[in-house]
Amino acid sequence: MNAPTSIKEFFESGYRQFLPHVSIDCAIFGFHDNQLKVLLLKMKNVAGWCLPGGFIHWTEPANEAAQRILQERTGISQVFLQQFYTFGEPERNKEPNLKDLIDSLNIEHTEDNWLFHRTISIGYYALVEFSKVIPTVDLLSDECCWWDMHELPKLLFDHSLMIGQALQTLRMQLNFHPVGYNLLPEKFTMPELQKLYETILDRPLDRRNFQKKMLSLGILERLEERKSVGPHKSPYYYRFDKQKYDQALQAGISFGF
């Protein structure tokens, strides 16, 4: 069956292509200008923003659906993507602002519409390199852009809760997963790596202890090139050693942040 080509068609017959009552929402994090950012969509004819998400095809595994949604919204694939929580409150998808959108479509039997039945959402979070992302709208939205985590707009549904839960999970993951590999450019300085961790944790870290801890893992390669940032301030560039990085993940690592 062909994918819906209009909002009206999606609301009226999307259940024929997608599994009803189960959806996916993705908290996509990026790091830019020393800010942790999250990718959000502005819904058409609705006063509010939401996380990129969608429904699962009838014969599609949930993880593949999450990868598909991620690629459709960012233009990239094969990134760090992890399921972090299931949101199942009975009234979580009851959004009064959607009535404006429904009214504009002249859809009959609104209360019986499949999108207004109880829906359980599987939450995923993704870590992407900001510069590689091409924010792309979906059928239900007219804007897709990055927002600073400290300056989020009005969010629809329970997506404020979702972002908070995703960030909490990300902070816990810092103890076991070197997230810089997913969020930073290929080469970076130690101060840039430390700033990333401080931004996610929302607290300062001791410079010497941080550097000692990161270098002790054996997953960073120091380059001969330096970054010129002023007199007497030319830190070396580093990059992740992909083979040692993968070996460290398999063996299990502990940062203790």
Side-chain angles (χ1 to χ4, degrees), residues 178 214-221 239-242 244-246 248-249 253 255:
M214 295 302 302
L215 293 178
S216 68
L217 298 173
I219 59 176
L220 294 178
E221 176 186 356
R239 68 184 175 194
F240 284 97
D241 184 314
K242 186 62 168 61
K244 293 181 179 179
Y245 169 87
D246 290 337
L249 286 183
I253 57 178
F255 291 88

Side-chain angles (χ1 to χ4, degrees), residues 117-128:
H117 295 172
R118 180 180 180 182
T119 301
I120 294 173
S121 180
I122 306 172
Y124 286 81
Y125 79 89
L127 306 178
V128 299

Side-chain angles (χ1 to χ4, degrees), residues 226-235:
R226 291 174 179 262
K227 181 177 181 179
S228 179
V229 294
H232 312 296
K233 293 183 179 180
S234 300

Side-chain angles (χ1 to χ4, degrees), residues 171 175 194 197-205 256-257:
R171 287 170 173 167
N175 290 307
Q194 180 172 337
Y197 276 75
E198 290 178 334
T199 302
I200 293 174
L201 293 169
D202 200 23
R203 59 179 174 86
L205 298 171
F257 288 114

Side-chain angles (χ1 to χ4, degrees), residues 134-151:
I134 303 175
T136 305
V137 299
D138 61 14
L139 188 65
L140 302 178
S141 62
D142 53 20
E143 289 186 58
C144 181
C145 59
W146 292 102
W147 284 81
D148 180 358
M149 283 291 297
H150 292 291
E151 300 178 354

